[in-house]
Amino acid sequence: MAIFLRGKDCLLSRLKSITRFQRFNYTLDEGGFQAKYKFNREMGFASNSKNSHIGHEADTSKWKKIDARKFGITRDMIPSPSLVVLKILRNNGFEAYLVGGCVRDLLLQRIPKDFDVVTTAELKQIKKKFNRSHIIGKRFPICVVHIKGSAVEVSSFETVANNAKANEDVFKSPLCDEKDFIRWRNSTQRDFTINSLFYDPFSNKIYDYTNGMSDLRSLKLRTLIPAHLSFKEDCARILRGLRIAARLHLSFSKDTERAMCDLSSSIEGLDKFRLMLEMNYMMSYGAAESSICLLQRFNLLEILLPFHAAYLDQQKSAQNSVMLMKLLSNLDKLLSCEQPADSSLW
């Protein structure tokens, strides 16, 4: 009975989420018409606009600053630990924003798995401001701040700036406000356009420098730089992209899909800990069934879950109904970002 009630509550929650998402996608007026035009006009999109690739120089005419309140996003939605981190950094004279997946999920009326912060403070400066904090990572180090029983990941604009210096010919400083340039440079170093949005809860502004809002509106997954180059730079982005697409039911841009097919086998070079981490994210947060389907589609299931792959192939050849997929589907109805499964279950 308890499982039934939890499943019922989860279903009601998802129905509410779908209703809220429709409000985001259409921004309906009283008559229910001109919805797409209204969204485009408010966001500054032309009716025939297409996503442009980040080139050697930023096109500042496509940079957007959006009032988050138009999408029902307010400071009250930010967990206290992340808000405290933002306030402390701001009070010490640094710029600080929420960035990445949390902004994306807030726009889609979903509960984010975590709320990451990016700041103009250097990592050592961040560590000095918080008693319980430590720096982790080699290639892209971050500072993990432990506050109010939670761990908040804080990255530095300076880290990305140093990484960008290695590709100085790619980035030319446009004539713009310095803060805009710092945010833009950081956004171009991220994996996907929909993960490159910044949110300032104190001014209620969302910053979009890479047409991320346009791709989010179209539910499209697109890399920031050419997809083959992006996945060669970090093949874990393939798994991350599949995970995001599975959870949010996204389609892929043509070049992103092609690159995933061409380079999928490269993930065998990742260490086992990283693979387990990505697989746990895929399977334990309410998108296991769709994740399995995408792993099959990109020929990754045999590499990551060979027993699952063998079972599904056997069932397919026998033309049986696949019990595994039904079990995963039912499991997904009981799980979410705030109530994940233990990895031993899947």
Side-chain angles (χ1 to χ4, degrees):
M1 178 60 76
I3 293 175
F4 172 77
L5 291 174
R6 285 171 61 197
K8 184 178 178 182
D9 290 343
C10 184
L11 180 60
L12 289 172
S13 174
R14 294 220 172 172
L15 287 173
K16 290 177 182 177
S17 176
I18 290 170
T19 303
R20 290 195 296 267
F21 172 72
Q22 287 174 336
R23 269 205 302 273
F24 161 75
N25 200 28
Y26 300 107
T27 322
L28 290 172
D29 55 17
E30 290 182 1
F33 299 99
Q34 304 293 329
K36 188 174 182 180
Y37 169 75
K38 182 178 179 183
F39 183 94
N40 289 342
R41 184 185 60 196
E42 288 179 351
M43 296 300 299
F45 297 134
S47 59
N48 61 349
S49 66
K50 294 182 179 179
N51 288 317
S52 63
H53 168 62
I54 298 294
H56 285 275
E57 192 167 333
D59 183 357
T60 58
S61 67
K62 295 184 178 180
W63 293 0
K64 301 172 186 70
K65 298 177 184 178
I66 304 120
D67 188 339
R69 291 169 295 189
K70 288 183 178 179
F71 299 97
I73 300 174
T74 63
R75 194 190 310 178
D76 296 338
M77 295 178 175
I78 312 306
S80 177
S82 298
L83 206 55
V84 169
V85 170
L86 287 167
K87 285 180 178 177
I88 290 175
L89 290 169
R90 287 290 186 97
N91 290 341
N92 281 275
F94 301 109
E95 293 291 312
Y97 309 89
L98 292 172
V99 67
C102 63
V103 186
R104 174 200 70 212
D105 288 352
L106 286 171
L107 284 164
L108 292 177
Q109 300 291 336
R110 289 173 170 267
I111 298 175
K113 183 170 64 66
D114 42 39
F115 288 78
D116 295 336
V117 172
V118 64
T119 177
T120 51
E122 295 181 8
L123 292 179
K124 290 181 179 178
Q125 292 174 313
I126 299 168
K127 195 173 185 299
K128 286 181 180 179
K129 299 300 177 186
F130 301 94
N131 293 328
R132 297 182 62 229
S133 62
H134 60 280
I135 297 172
I136 61 171
K138 293 181 179 179
R139 187 178 178 188
F140 294 104
I142 61 171
C143 186
V144 180
V145 177
H146 296 274
I147 187 168
K148 293 191 172 184
S150 298
V152 180
E153 294 186 0
V154 186
S155 59
S156 171
F157 282 116
E158 190 62 29
T159 302
V160 172
N162 291 336
N163 188 59
K165 285 176 184 176
N167 301 294
E168 240 176 284
D169 59 320
V170 177
F171 301 105
K172 296 179 182 178
S173 174
L175 297 174
C176 63
D177 177 78
E178 183 182 355
K179 292 179 182 178
D180 271 319
F181 176 68
I182 290 172
R183 289 188 295 260
W184 166 77
R185 182 170 58 183
N186 184 275
S187 70
T188 60
Q189 292 286 298
R190 295 187 174 272
D191 48 10
F192 303 102
T193 58
I194 60 173
N195 287 344
S196 65
L197 303 168
F198 299 87
Y199 171 43
D200 180 357
F202 304 104
S203 65
N204 296 304
K205 286 284 192 301
I206 292 174
Y207 299 92
D208 178 14
Y209 301 95
T210 63
N211 279 328
M213 290 291 290
S214 178
D215 282 337
L216 195 59
R217 179 172 59 99
S218 303
L219 292 179
K220 183 83 70 178
L221 191 73
R222 186 188 310 275
T223 55
L224 258 298
I225 60 177
H228 278 81
L229 180 61
S230 178
F231 297 144
K232 284 180 180 177
E233 189 176 272
D234 182 4
C235 62
R237 288 174 178 169
I238 295 174
L239 294 178
R240 200 178 311 135
L242 294 178
R243 164 165 51 94
I244 295 169
R247 190 167 74 90
L248 302 180
H249 306 292
L250 307 180
S251 61
F252 302 95
S253 67
K254 288 182 180 180
D255 64 321
T256 300
E257 182 170 7
R258 191 181 307 114
M260 282 182 167
C261 289
D262 293 344
L263 301 172
S264 59
S265 61
S266 64
I267 69 159
E268 292 184 88
L270 291 172
D271 64 74
K272 290 183 179 180
F273 175 79
R274 185 69 183 275
L275 287 174
M276 281 298 298
L277 186 68
E278 290 294 340
M279 286 305 301
N280 196 48
Y281 283 148
M282 278 189 180
M283 302 293 288
S284 300
Y285 289 83
E289 182 188 20
S290 52
S291 293
I292 289 288
C293 290
L294 283 178
L295 289 173
Q296 270 191 310
R297 176 178 161 186
F298 289 95
N299 300 316
L300 285 170
L301 196 60
E302 288 186 10
I303 297 174
L304 296 167
L305 297 172
F307 290 105
H308 295 64
Y311 168 77
L312 291 174
D313 284 342
Q314 182 186 47
Q315 294 298 303
K316 184 178 179 181
S317 61
Q319 295 184 339
N320 293 331
S321 60
V322 183
M323 181 60 72
L324 173 63
M325 301 307 281
K326 290 181 180 179
L327 287 170
L328 292 175
S329 176
N330 287 327
L331 177 66
D332 288 341
K333 293 173 185 176
L334 301 174
L335 303 177
S336 62
C337 283
E338 66 269 30
Q339 190 179 21
D342 186 272
S343 60
S344 61
L345 183 60
W346 64 263

